[in-house]
């Protein structure tokens, strides 16, 4: 009974806000009905509050049918039909303004594109040498879809969560497993854990794209808005004959694949904020549909900012099984003998607005918060 009391209290507050002036627009009424359905408010309670409401504009039978299709209960529908009858002589609701159509601005000049590519190439080739020796915590959440349908979003189920101590020393990465699902992995190698892994998110990925030996082909793709920053987005391609992108399977098969991808460069400082990697292994190789996204940001190490990965997302398919690794890099510290790392929030995944690209003229906005569940 205590929870029922709290739920009624929540509905009372919601209704008081909506019906304070007893004059409802169709938009406000629709929002109230949607919220009541989502939060499982009892049908009779919703109907009781609707009995006290009045419309400020016409509610049509087709609108009532739409609310019925969303899941409004029979008592709520009867109250809505009564509102529709009483409002039949009112003016109709003003039509909603059409959503603005995004029109991408023209690409930068060829001279500007060439200048930006030259600058990020120079920075990438000196990137590894510019990094200090450091340690950080790598958190990997692995999930699988056992019946993946190509072209779909997938239906992934969590498998495990792995914590590793990552040491970057003398321009080389070293991985030391800490735990898997909170069980200690002390003394074990990451190769012994099985499943899918990716490595080289630090200097390796950038160096292999921009090194002259790769002879990468660059081209303009689009303007992007990543983490509310305007970005040049370039596509690139590296042929298999010049690639160093290796893919292993069960420690018995390995191929070197050509690959393509995108490079997101923040306009102004011309910093790389994201790269994507799409290897193209032979059609008969067991692992297919590989896609990786590496996100970079400024990280403070010993009082100095360094551009470092903060997240990586990797998907790869073996037959009908699709694996997904969501990786975060946390708790960066300057390396020293005996240095330790702490992790208090390893179960907090990154918010969606850190992962999603937006249109350049659509800055990040906070999503409307639904009424709390009771």
């Amino acid at each position: 009974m205590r929870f029922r009391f709290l739920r009624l209290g929540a509905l009372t507050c919601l209704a008081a806000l909506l019906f304070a002036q007893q004059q409802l627009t169709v938009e406000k009424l629709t929002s109230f009905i949607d919220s009541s359905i989502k939060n499982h408010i009892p049908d009779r309670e919703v109907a009781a509050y609707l009995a006290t409401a009045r419309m400020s504009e016409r509610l049509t039978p087709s609108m009532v049918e739409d609310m019925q299709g969303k899941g409004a209960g029979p008592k709520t529908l009867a109250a809505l039909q009564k509102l529709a009858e009483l409002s039949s002589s009112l003016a109709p609701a003003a039509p909603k303004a059409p959503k603005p159509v995004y029109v991408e601005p023209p690409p930068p000049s060829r001279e500007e594109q060439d200048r930006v590519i030259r600058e990020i190439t120079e920075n990438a080739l000196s990137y590894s040498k510019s990094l200090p020796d450091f340690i950080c915590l790598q958190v990997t959440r692995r999930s699988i879809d056992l019946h993946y349908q190509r072209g779909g979003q997938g239906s992934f189920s969590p498998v495990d969560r792995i914590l590793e101590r990552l040491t970057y020393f003398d321009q080389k990465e070293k991985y030391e497993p800490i735990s898997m699902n909170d069980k200690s992995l002390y003394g074990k190698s990451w190769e012994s854990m099985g499943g899918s892994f990716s490595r080289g998110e630090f200097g390796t990925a950038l160096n292999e794209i921009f090194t002259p030996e790769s002879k990468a082909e660059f081209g303009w793709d689009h303007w992007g808005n990543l983490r509310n920053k305007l970005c040049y987005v370039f596509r690139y391609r590296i042929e298999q004959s010049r690639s160093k992108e290796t893919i292993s399977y069960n420690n018995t098969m390995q191929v070197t694949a050509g690959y393509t991808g995108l490079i997101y460069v923040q306009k102004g400082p011309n910093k790389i904020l994201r790269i994507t990697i799409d290897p193209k292994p032979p059609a008969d190789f067991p692992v297919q549909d590989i896609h990786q996204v590496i996100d970079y940001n400024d990280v403070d190490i010993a009082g100095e900012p360094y551009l470092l990965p903060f997240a990586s997302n990797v998907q790869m398919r073996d037959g009908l099984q699709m694996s997904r690794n969501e990786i975060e890099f946390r708790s960066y510290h300057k390396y020293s003998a005996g240095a330790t790392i702490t992790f208090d929030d390893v179960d907090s995944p990154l918010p969606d607005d850190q992962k999603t690209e937006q249109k350049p003229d659509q800055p990040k906005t906070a999503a409307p918060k639904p009424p709390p569940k009771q």
Side-chain angles (χ1 to χ4, degrees):
M1 294 301 294
R2 180 181 62 181
F3 291 107
R4 181 176 177 81
F5 172 78
L6 291 173
R7 185 175 62 188
L8 282 169
L11 178 59
T12 301
C13 293
L14 177 62
L17 290 172
L18 289 173
F19 302 153
Q21 298 179 345
Q22 299 295 317
Q23 292 287 316
L24 283 178
T25 64
V26 169
E27 183 178 5
K28 285 186 177 180
L29 175 63
T30 302
S31 176
F32 172 68
I33 297 299
D34 289 345
S35 295
S36 67
I37 294 171
K38 183 175 181 179
N39 291 281
H40 307 290
I41 305 299
D43 182 31
R44 64 179 180 278
E45 296 173 13
V46 178
Y49 283 107
L50 289 178
T52 69
R54 294 293 181 271
M55 300 300 298
S56 63
E57 53 194 19
R58 187 186 309 163
L59 178 67
T60 67
S62 63
M63 295 173 184
V64 175
E65 289 178 5
D66 290 340
M67 297 179 197
Q68 181 180 16
K70 293 179 179 179
K75 292 183 174 61
T76 297
L77 287 174
L80 290 170
Q81 288 165 354
K82 183 68 174 178
L83 286 175
E85 293 173 7
L86 293 174
S87 67
S88 60
S89 61
L90 298 178
K96 288 186 178 181
K99 291 183 179 180
V101 177
Y102 171 69
V103 178
E104 183 168 319
S109 67
R110 185 65 193 183
E111 291 75 14
E112 184 176 354
Q113 295 179 38
D114 291 343
R115 176 180 56 79
V116 174
I117 290 175
R118 282 196 305 271
E119 184 174 335
I120 62 175
T121 298
E122 292 172 2
N123 292 339
L125 293 179
S126 62
Y127 177 76
S128 295
K129 294 180 181 179
S130 70
L131 295 179
D133 295 334
F134 62 83
I135 61 171
C136 71
L137 176 72
Q138 177 169 314
V139 183
T140 304
R141 295 177 180 85
R142 302 197 295 186
S143 55
I144 61 171
D145 180 350
L146 294 175
H147 305 285
Y148 178 74
Q149 298 292 323
R150 297 189 69 181
Q153 295 295 317
S155 179
F156 291 90
S157 300
V159 174
D160 53 32
R161 188 196 65 200
I162 300 170
L163 306 186
E164 297 174 88
R165 170 186 163 122
L166 194 160
T167 303
Y168 188 83
F169 181 76
D170 198 20
Q171 301 179 40
K172 295 180 181 179
E173 301 161 25
K174 179 182 178 182
Y175 300 85
E176 299 173 89
I178 298 173
S179 66
M180 176 188 288
N181 296 334
D182 299 322
K183 294 183 179 179
S184 175
L185 293 175
Y186 178 76
K188 295 186 178 180
S189 67
W190 67 267
E191 292 92 345
S192 67
M193 288 188 283
S196 59
F197 284 90
S198 69
R199 298 306 190 207
E201 280 86 356
F202 291 85
T204 303
L206 287 175
N207 185 271
E208 290 182 356
I209 292 173
F210 291 98
T211 182
E213 287 79 8
S214 294
K215 291 191 175 180
E217 301 172 7
F218 296 98
W220 176 255
D221 198 82
H222 67 280
W223 287 106
N225 187 348
L226 188 62
R227 301 191 290 279
N228 217 31
K229 296 179 176 66
L230 181 63
C231 295
Y232 305 99
V233 184
F234 299 99
R235 59 183 177 271
Y236 71 91
R237 178 184 183 88
I238 297 175
E239 297 293 340
Q240 186 275 334
S241 60
R242 298 189 176 276
S243 171
K244 296 181 180 178
E245 185 76 10
T246 59
I247 308 165
S248 300
Y249 180 74
N250 283 346
N251 292 326
T252 60
M253 303 174 65
Q254 179 173 299
V255 295
T256 299
Y259 57 105
T260 61
L262 298 174
I263 302 168
Y264 290 70
V265 183
Q266 183 182 355
K267 180 177 171 58
N270 291 343
K271 295 189 299 186
I272 293 177
L273 298 184
R274 168 178 288 179
I275 62 173
T276 72
I277 300 172
D278 294 281
K280 309 297 181 185
D284 59 351
F285 194 73
V287 182
Q288 297 289 329
D289 295 342
I290 305 169
H291 177 65
Q292 181 174 22
V293 178
I294 306 175
D295 282 302
Y296 298 83
N297 211 343
D298 285 329
V299 175
D300 183 279
I301 299 180
E304 294 291 334
Y306 296 94
L307 190 67
L308 287 164
F310 72 88
S312 176
N313 189 302
V314 188
Q315 292 192 177
M316 58 187 76
R317 180 178 60 83
D318 175 11
L320 293 178
Q321 177 176 305
M322 177 66 85
S323 301
R324 181 174 67 190
N325 291 6
E326 296 174 284
I327 306 167
E328 296 174 44
F329 305 96
R330 300 180 171 186
S331 301
Y332 280 94
H333 294 288
K334 190 171 183 178
Y335 174 81
S336 62
T340 60
I341 52 177
T342 59
F343 43 95
D344 298 326
D345 59 344
V346 294
D347 287 321
S348 301
L350 291 170
D352 287 339
D353 60 20
Q354 294 288 302
K355 308 172 186 177
T356 306
E357 179 187 356
Q358 298 158 313
K359 296 299 183 184
D361 61 346
Q362 296 174 351
K364 179 180 68 179
T365 57
K369 294 182 179 180
K373 290 185 179 181
Q374 302 293 335

